[in-house]
Amino acid sequence: MMSETQRLRVLLVDDHILFRSGVKTELSFYPHIEVVGEAGNGSEAIAQTRETMPDVILMDISMPGCSGLEAMARIKREMPHVRIIILTVHDDDEHLFEAIKRGADGYLLKNLEPSELLDALDRVHHGEAAINARMAARILGEFRKPKPHDESIPTAEEA
């Protein structure tokens, strides 16, 4: 655990205020975590990130105006050291892969247990990925798909 002077600074970004409030309340039970700000859309997230300089952002994807994916890409270009965990209801490959391409450090579904969220925050803060095993398997599956224009890798006998 971190000492009081090394608190993990978290920014919450979600257009549902009740959800943000619940996450903030849950995180308040952990003395090594400090919620430094909240935002209800991507544009507010960019402004809040500049103002508060969080260590980790918990970001929803679907928000009015500037989406979480758009905001994440802009934040990562401007402040690449800020870690971003996508926290979403979107359980599809399209959103997962797009989030990773735009710089997500983690991708979690909102139905996770509070202890899983805490673990993910700590892992991402220490430079690890925050992704469950099922999502990781989907990513690996995507990379394993043969590309139509790629030639097969020669076997040892063919080489």
Side-chain angles (χ1 to χ4, degrees):
M1 287 281 166
M2 300 175 185
S3 71
E4 184 66 23
T5 58
Q6 299 173 316
R7 294 175 76 174
L8 177 59
R9 299 167 46 80
V10 177
L11 174 65
L12 303 177
V13 183
D14 195 291
D15 58 325
H16 295 99
I17 192 164
L18 186 60
F19 180 79
R20 283 196 325 257
S21 179
V23 172
K24 183 176 182 177
T25 298
E26 183 63 35
L27 294 179
S28 73
F29 293 114
Y30 303 98
H32 74 287
I33 296 178
E34 175 185 8
V35 175
V36 295
E38 297 180 45
N41 62 50
S43 298
E44 289 176 12
I46 295 164
Q48 281 289 313
T49 301
R50 289 176 182 146
E51 184 179 320
T52 64
M53 295 306 282
D55 299 309
V56 179
I57 300 171
L58 292 174
M59 176 103 63
D60 189 18
I61 289 178
S62 299
M63 295 182 287
C66 179
S67 76
L69 294 176
E70 293 171 50
M72 178 175 54
R74 290 176 56 191
I75 290 167
K76 284 294 197 171
R77 277 194 307 271
E78 188 176 323
M79 297 163 274
H81 61 280
V82 175
R83 306 281 187 198
I84 302 176
I85 298 172
I86 295 296
L87 188 56
T88 184
V89 297
H90 295 288
D91 187 15
D92 59 273
D93 289 352
E94 182 180 340
H95 284 98
L96 170 64
F97 300 147
E98 190 61 30
I100 291 168
K101 288 177 189 173
R102 292 188 186 213
D105 298 288
Y107 193 98
L108 302 171
L109 298 178
K110 287 182 175 180
N111 63 355
L112 78 165
E113 293 292 328
S115 61
E116 293 172 297
L117 179 60
L118 179 65
D119 181 55
L121 283 167
D122 287 336
R123 283 185 298 156
V124 164
H125 182 62
H126 289 101
E128 299 175 25
I131 193 159
N132 69 33
R134 190 168 59 84
M135 295 286 184
R138 287 165 54 188
I139 294 167
L140 290 174
E142 179 67 16
F143 277 100
R144 289 180 184 140
K145 284 183 185 175
K147 303 290 185 223
H149 62 279
D150 288 349
E151 293 189 23
S152 297
I153 298 172
T155 63
E157 296 83 34
E158 297 172 331

